Amino acid sequence: MKHLFALFLASFLITSCTEDPEPNGVLIRVENSSEVDFKDVLVNSGSGNVEFGTIRAGKKSEYKGFESAYRCGFVSLLANGTESRIQPYDYVGETPLEIGYYTYKIGMNRSDSDTPNLTL
């Protein structure tokens, strides 16, 4: 009986840690590829604001659902107490993402130490 319970527990843990192989929409996560924590991360990729909260340096958020999205989008966040944004001009000529899992990898360009710029 102990072996059966251990087998059940192991299979539950393995399946609960894997991604759904067939997503039912556009799912996006944010990866913080910088060396500083991001706070109040907000993404809008054409279908409304989605909040991601705090994402530690070098970490990824959980996936969040979007009605529709593009390969880039509006991003707002706080890094070291400074608000930074990525603002696309428009989505003219862009094709909406197909159903699937996507990652917005966001970093900081520190070429000007007074004005950090985000990169997507």
Side-chain angles (χ1 to χ4, degrees):
M1 189 62 146
K2 282 183 179 180
H3 297 291
L4 184 59
F5 177 74
L7 180 62
F8 171 75
L9 183 61
S11 67
F12 174 76
L13 291 174
I14 290 170
T15 58
S16 66
C17 294
T18 60
E19 296 173 358
D20 184 351
E22 296 183 29
N24 58 0
V26 175
L27 299 167
I28 298 174
R29 68 181 174 186
V30 175
E31 178 180 348
N32 179 348
S33 65
S34 76
E35 296 177 1
V36 298
D37 293 343
F38 293 160
K39 296 181 180 180
D40 300 330
V41 178
L42 179 117
V43 174
N44 186 331
S45 188
S47 65
N49 293 335
V50 177
E51 296 180 6
F52 285 87
T54 298
I55 305 171
R56 303 261 181 234
K59 301 295 181 183
K60 298 174 188 165
S61 72
E62 297 294 322
Y63 284 100
K64 303 244 180 168
F66 286 72
E67 288 181 32
S68 65
Y70 296 91
R71 65 178 183 85
C72 64
F74 172 84
V75 177
S76 173
L77 58 83
L78 292 176
N80 287 333
T82 302
E83 183 178 7
S84 293
R85 293 180 179 196
I86 298 172
Q87 176 71 51
Y89 293 109
D90 58 39
Y91 297 110
V92 173
E94 290 287 332
T95 303
L97 297 173
E98 295 181 14
I99 291 173
Y101 294 99
Y102 299 90
T103 301
Y104 281 180
K105 186 174 182 178
I106 301 174
M108 299 282 297
N109 179 354
R110 290 219 166 258
S111 58
D112 179 356
S113 61
D114 293 332
T115 312
N117 295 313
L118 295 178
T119 55
L120 178 65

